[in-house]
Amino acid sequence: MGKLTGAEIFIESLYHEKVETIFGYPGGAVLPIYNVLYDAKFEHIMPHHEQGGIHAADGYARSTGKVGVCIATSGPGGTNLVTGLATAYMDSVPIVAFTGQVPRSMLGTDAFQEADITGITTPITKHNYLVQDVKDLGRIIKEAFHIASTGRPGPVLIDIPKDVLLEKCEFLYPKELNLPGYSPNYNGHSMQIKEAAKAINEAQKPVIYSGGGVIISGASDYLRQLAKKGSIPVTTTLTGLGAFDERDDLSLGMLGMHGTTEANLAVSNADLLIAIGSRFDDRVTGKLEKFAAEAKVIHIDIDPAEVGKRVEIDIPIVGDVRRILEKLNPLVEDRSREDWSKQIDNWRKLDDTEVIEKKKLSPKQIIENISDLTQGDALITTEVGQHQMWSAQFYQYTKPRSFMTSGGLGTMGYGFPAAIGVQVGNKDKNVFALAGDGSFQMNSQELATVAKNKLPINIIIFNNGYLGMVRQWQEMFYERRYSSVCLKKQDDCPPGCSSPGDHCPIMIPDFVKLAGAYGIKAKRVSKKEDVRSALEWAINSPEPILLDFIIEEEENVFPMVPPGGSLDKMVLKGDVE
Amino acid sequence: MKHTVSVLVANESGVLARIASLFSRRGFNIESLSVGKTQDDHISRITIVVEGDNKVLEQLTKQLNKLIVVHKISDLTNEEVVSRGLALIKVTATAATRSEIMQIVDIFRGKIVDVSSNSIMVEITGTEEKVNAIEDLLRPFGIKELVRTGKIAMARGRK
Ligand SMILES: Cc1ncc(C[n+]2csc(CCOP(=O)(O)OP(=O)(O)O)c2C)c(N)n1
Ligand SMILES: [Mg+2]
């Protein structure tokens, strides 16, 4: 191929990796890349903040299963990626992030826009590289894509000094990988798989606790097969939603802090817990000693470090979830478990208390309408807060890769830019960005990206005038002392006001006008009877639409397991209202 | 309990930083650490002495294994190993105490590597216990300065 510059090698390598879409933002150190991108055949989406760019790459990756690619310049460009890398790292999302760096001769001199981005990102990436020689660039890019997308996926960062991008060398994309320190174990131990099957066949009250790993490994079909065969109820984590069709009788919905009564009680009373691609996060387990206290535990996961990290495991199986279920399922006996399912059905009824009608819109009504109108076929992203939990609870998920949310890191500002990547990767799908009025403002500049790329995202604002989730904790655990959670509060408000009402100043910003400033059509919805028609308008519109739903200010998320409490001690809506 | 862990890593820049970052983030307590070359130019060996129970050691091993730069980890704690550390100790020495100090050094098969009018510098290699013991015996004379390396270790025999 003759001699190529580092920037050209970058482009050629991305062709080799079959990259179609890049989310990138230019700057001095990456000028050589942007110069060759000018002629390249990638779809290049420019966000309006690097954080927006990397969250978009994340949404693209989660929704398509491909590696998300983003570019940022040196210094502030790189540091703006930090939250996005940490978000992707926590939820095991494959991303390759490229950053420009100052020329090699200036490294370590505090040069203009120099930041030690490999040092900064070491604890929040699966691996990272500082390219010291243009001859290494092709190999490093190949390794990065491999590392990001295999084993337990995660973000990989490649930092490239500007002079490396300009230097020339012979280019041959390596065929082989040579990574002696990296060999994920895919095939579970067959003796352990037999042990697991035996435990499943002997169990009277088994529960499957399924996590994001099931989606990542593409094991949803095998999960269904396992559940059906053994009549085993399935609960999923937040990031695991969609792995199991929630319309199925065996679905228990989500477990954990805001899980369903049936999921939390089933886990608390189970005699066998089958953890698949999940990691016993504290928001899932609550008080650890009480979590599945009666149960024998099987844990299937690709990351050995997760097995036994928080909970003692009786039958650990390290490997790829799909391959393991493929081998496990034939060993599982066909059987029904009527007593167990009857007991679970009784737990389902615990949370059936009639909701008291309130003046303003209920988030439940809005989300159930979206669910009904799209029949579980939409792609949903959320921000972080109450609306995130409501989105998890009230939308009926039917497919893997249909729910994109920051589970591990809980990143406000994730969902809206992520929706950009989701829509770019799924052009013909209905994409909903379900956003809190607080979170949305963390990356609302991406309205420009949506408008300019004419991405028909449905942006749904849950406008409660509060940082609602924090307000809920202040209400429940801090004697309703609302401190820095009211989004309407201005300097002339009475000090210590904790009661929203008609006397409040108007909400800043006006989201409808904000959308208007970007040329995006928007509507404010405050009446129950307008909810469905507004949603229909958005869904049927070929353009982006923003809907500003004015919801009840002090609505809370229930059920709730108070932090550190055990899963069987839930606070229900009926307990407080 | 103390564990001695031997880690083979890629010999490239930034490796130590990755390992140090992992230890501090996950709260592992390093007692000593030593890095050096091996017979293979591409590989370095890090010997780590770490405090913790078996569960801590298991997490440490698994987390270290996740680093791409880590090739192999062996726990030498329960192995038959030869382990050594080196110390340089500068001891106050007067005409009256000099010969007594030299006797102690002799018993421990240490070496006197520098002498001045009021001090002696002692070089001692050996197991941790041996180095501790001579340090204790020399302390009453007055230790002016002391420097110790981390422990290095290797399994005995054919392994
Ligand atoms: C970047 C970031 N900062 C702070 C928090 C803490 N936090 C969690 S939820 C929340 C409130 C979110 O408010 P909003 O987006 O309006 O959602 P609501 O809870 O009202 O639905 C805050 C501040 C966070 N998760 N992420
Ligand atoms: Mg809010």
Side-chain angles (χ1 to χ4, degrees):
Chain A
M1 204 164 200
K3 288 199 169 183
L4 297 185
T5 65
E8 288 163 345
I9 290 173
F10 165 85
I11 298 284
E12 286 300 321
S13 304
L14 293 202
Y15 286 147
H16 278 278
E17 292 299 330
K18 307 206 165 45
V19 172
E20 290 160 15
T21 306
I22 301 175
F23 302 87
Y25 203 88
V30 288
L31 274 168
I33 288 184
Y34 275 82
N35 188 43
V36 286
L37 269 179
Y38 193 83
D39 305 309
K41 298 185 217 51
F42 300 110
E43 176 179 38
H44 182 274
I45 306 284
M46 190 192 84
H48 289 71
H49 186 304
E50 289 88 349
Q51 187 187 353
I54 187 164
H55 288 328
D58 176 312
Y60 177 90
R62 290 194 209 216
S63 61
T64 63
K66 300 178 198 162
V67 176
V69 178
C70 64
I71 303 174
T73 192
S74 67
T79 55
N80 275 346
L81 296 181
V82 167
T83 301
L85 290 168
T87 303
Y89 185 62
M90 280 292 239
D91 290 345
S92 311
V93 181
I95 287 179
V96 175
F98 292 92
T99 47
Q101 183 52 278
V102 302
R104 281 168 292 181
S105 58
M106 295 170 85
L107 277 169
T109 64
D110 304 310
F112 177 64
Q113 294 196 327
E114 178 179 6
D116 173 13
I117 200 66
T118 46
I120 291 168
T121 61
T122 292
I124 50 169
T125 51
K126 187 169 172 188
H127 193 45
N128 61 24
Y129 295 90
L130 170 61
V131 184
Q132 316 252 18
D133 188 330
V134 68
K135 291 194 209 79
D136 297 333
L137 184 57
R139 168 184 64 80
I140 286 175
I141 293 176
K142 188 178 176 77
E143 286 178 9
F145 274 85
H146 178 72
I147 292 169
S149 59
T150 55
R152 177 179 181 176
V156 177
L157 179 134
I158 305 179
D159 196 26
I160 318 178
K162 188 173 183 179
D163 59 326
V164 171
L165 290 171
L166 296 169
E167 205 175 4
K168 284 191 166 182
C169 83
E170 291 289 338
F171 174 68
L172 242 182
Y173 202 59
K175 287 206 174 63
E176 302 287 322
L177 284 157
N178 178 21
L179 286 167
Y182 181 72
S183 51
N185 183 1
Y186 292 101
N187 299 310
H189 198 287
S190 52
M191 282 306 290
Q192 294 293 90
I193 293 174
K194 276 192 199 127
E195 277 289 303
K198 185 160 164 268
I200 293 171
N201 293 336
E202 282 168 4
Q204 302 304 315
K205 300 186 287 179
V207 174
I208 295 172
Y209 147 45
S210 164
V214 173
I215 295 174
I216 294 170
S217 84
S220 298
D221 290 344
Y222 293 97
L223 174 67
R224 181 175 358 96
Q225 205 181 52
L226 172 64
K228 288 289 187 196
K229 220 174 163 194
S231 302
I232 310 169
V234 180
T235 176
T236 80
T237 65
L238 181 66
T239 48
L241 286 170
F244 192 73
D245 190 335
E246 295 193 313
R247 292 168 300 189
D248 197 292
D249 287 345
L250 289 167
S251 171
L252 304 173
M254 184 172 75
L255 83 167
M257 181 174 275
H258 293 297
T260 64
T261 50
E262 57 270 30
N264 286 345
L265 290 173
V267 167
S268 301
N269 290 282
D271 64 355
L272 178 71
L273 185 73
I274 311 163
I276 314 182
S278 49
R279 60 181 180 87
F280 298 84
D281 182 82
D282 52 281
R283 284 291 189 267
V284 162
T285 62
K287 190 182 188 139
L288 206 50
E289 305 80 62
K290 291 282 170 65
F291 181 70
E294 321 262 296
K296 200 173 198 179
V297 183
I298 300 172
H299 191 188
I300 307 175
D301 201 278
I302 190 132
D303 182 357
E306 290 302 346
V307 180
K309 184 177 80 177
R310 299 195 74 234
V311 169
E312 289 289 341
I313 304 300
D314 300 291
I315 309 177
I317 312 179
V318 173
D320 174 54
V321 165
R322 185 159 55 92
R323 291 199 203 176
I324 291 167
L325 293 188
E326 223 172 324
K327 287 188 211 143
L328 174 67
N329 289 354
L331 308 177
V332 171
E333 286 164 13
D334 266 291
R335 63 175 279 191
S336 62
R337 290 184 158 89
E338 267 156 38
D339 290 349
W340 184 220
S341 72
K342 258 188 221 136
Q343 197 171 353
I344 287 171
D345 284 339
N346 287 332
W347 289 328
R348 287 182 204 274
K349 291 177 201 140
L350 287 177
D351 197 25
D352 273 357
T353 30
E354 204 49 52
V355 182
I356 303 157
E357 278 281 308
K358 294 190 179 150
K359 278 199 308 278
K360 300 201 171 148
L361 300 182
S362 96
K364 184 167 190 265
Q365 184 204 356
I366 298 164
I367 297 166
E368 283 179 347
N369 266 295
I370 298 174
S371 194
D372 187 48
L373 286 167
T374 60
Q375 289 297 306
D377 196 40
L379 303 181
I380 308 283
T381 76
T382 78
E383 299 291 343
V384 171
Q386 294 182 310
H387 68 280
Q388 177 189 33
M389 293 300 120
W390 291 321
S391 305
Q393 294 174 334
F394 303 134
Y395 191 90
Q396 213 167 40
Y397 296 93
T398 63
K399 296 185 180 64
R401 302 197 181 280
S402 62
F403 182 58
M404 276 54 70
T405 196
S406 169
L409 200 67
T411 308
M412 288 172 71
Y414 166 80
F416 173 47
I420 292 174
V422 173
Q423 186 76 78
V424 167
N426 303 269
K427 300 250 163 31
D428 51 354
K429 285 275 185 181
N430 253 313
V431 177
F432 281 78
L434 305 184
D437 44 2
S439 301
F440 183 69
Q441 294 182 65
M442 288 226 171
N443 273 315
S444 60
Q445 79 284 345
E446 300 307 333
L447 283 167
T449 316
V450 169
K452 292 187 227 173
N453 292 284
K454 304 187 178 55
L455 300 170
I457 299 171
N458 305 301
I459 305 162
I460 308 296
I461 309 277
F462 291 84
N463 191 330
N464 53 8
Y466 276 112
L467 299 174
M469 186 57 96
V470 183
R471 184 204 57 72
Q472 177 171 347
W473 284 51
Q474 290 178 350
E475 178 184 337
M476 294 177 72
F477 311 120
Y478 291 88
E479 294 116 39
R480 210 161 179 279
R481 287 153 52 89
Y482 289 171
S483 181
S484 293
V485 289
C486 179
L487 292 170
K488 290 186 179 163
K489 195 169 190 139
Q490 297 192 12
D491 66 346
D492 48 359
C493 283
C497 166
S498 286
S499 51
D502 296 336
H503 54 277
C504 292
I506 54 154
M507 175 77 168
I508 295 177
D510 177 324
F511 289 107
V512 174
K513 284 192 188 150
L514 182 67
Y518 291 91
I520 291 176
K521 291 187 184 146
K523 239 184 220 162
R524 178 161 302 120
V525 185
S526 354
K527 292 202 198 106
K528 294 193 172 77
E529 55 272 27
D530 297 339
V531 169
R532 197 169 173 98
S533 58
L535 287 169
E536 278 168 342
W537 172 61
I539 291 170
N540 295 326
S541 162
E543 298 166 60
I545 300 287
L546 183 148
L547 296 176
D548 183 22
F549 285 105
I550 310 299
I551 64 168
E552 191 63 37
E553 286 102 337
E554 293 182 278
E555 185 77 64
N556 286 332
V557 185
F558 290 115
M560 178 174 192
V561 178
S566 68
L567 289 196
D568 59 350
K569 301 268 178 325
M570 283 165 282
V571 181
L572 304 183
K573 203 174 197 92
D575 299 340
V576 273
E577 285 180 349
Chain B
M1 158 174 199
K2 269 187 212 168
H3 295 271
T4 306
V5 185
S6 164
V7 188
L8 293 178
V9 298
N11 177 16
E12 59 186 51
S13 63
V15 170
L16 202 56
R18 286 180 203 279
I19 289 179
S21 155
L22 189 151
F23 275 66
S24 74
R25 179 163 83 92
R26 303 256 175 207
F28 298 125
N29 206 346
I30 305 183
E31 187 117 324
S32 88
L33 183 148
S34 78
V35 197
K37 290 186 171 176
T38 63
Q39 71 281 9
D40 181 340
D41 281 347
H42 300 106
I43 291 176
S44 307
R45 184 191 296 273
I46 304 184
T47 310
I48 304 167
V49 180
V50 63
E51 179 67 45
D53 57 18
N54 285 333
K55 220 175 134 54
V56 168
L57 186 79
E58 182 187 325
Q59 256 302 301
L60 175 128
T61 311
K62 285 173 165 180
Q63 293 293 348
L64 274 175
N65 252 323
K66 284 174 73 165
L67 298 179
I68 313 289
V69 294
V70 169
H71 292 196
K72 187 166 187 273
I73 302 170
S74 3
D75 179 9
L76 300 178
T77 313
N78 298 318
E79 296 280 325
E80 278 280 321
V81 292
V82 176
S83 78
R84 292 288 181 270
L86 165 73
L88 294 174
I89 310 171
K90 195 184 284 171
V91 197
T92 307
T94 60
T97 59
R98 188 163 289 138
S99 68
E100 201 183 334
I101 291 170
M102 287 168 67
Q103 257 181 359
I104 294 172
V105 173
D106 220 35
I107 296 168
F108 281 85
R109 282 190 267 157
K111 264 194 251 167
I112 308 275
V113 288
D114 187 50
V115 184
S116 74
S117 58
N118 58 5
S119 71
I120 288 179
M121 196 196 296
V122 178
E123 174 196 312
I124 183 88
T125 57
T127 61
E128 202 175 1
E129 295 72 32
K130 177 176 163 189
V131 180
N132 287 346
I134 191 168
E135 191 186 321
D136 287 345
L137 287 173
L138 293 177
R139 184 159 296 120
F141 300 97
I143 294 182
K144 288 158 117 33
E145 232 181 301
L146 181 145
V147 55
R148 279 179 78 159
T149 64
K151 170 165 143 182
I152 59 168
M154 188 180 280
R156 286 181 189 275
R158 284 186 301 151
K159 256 196 160 171

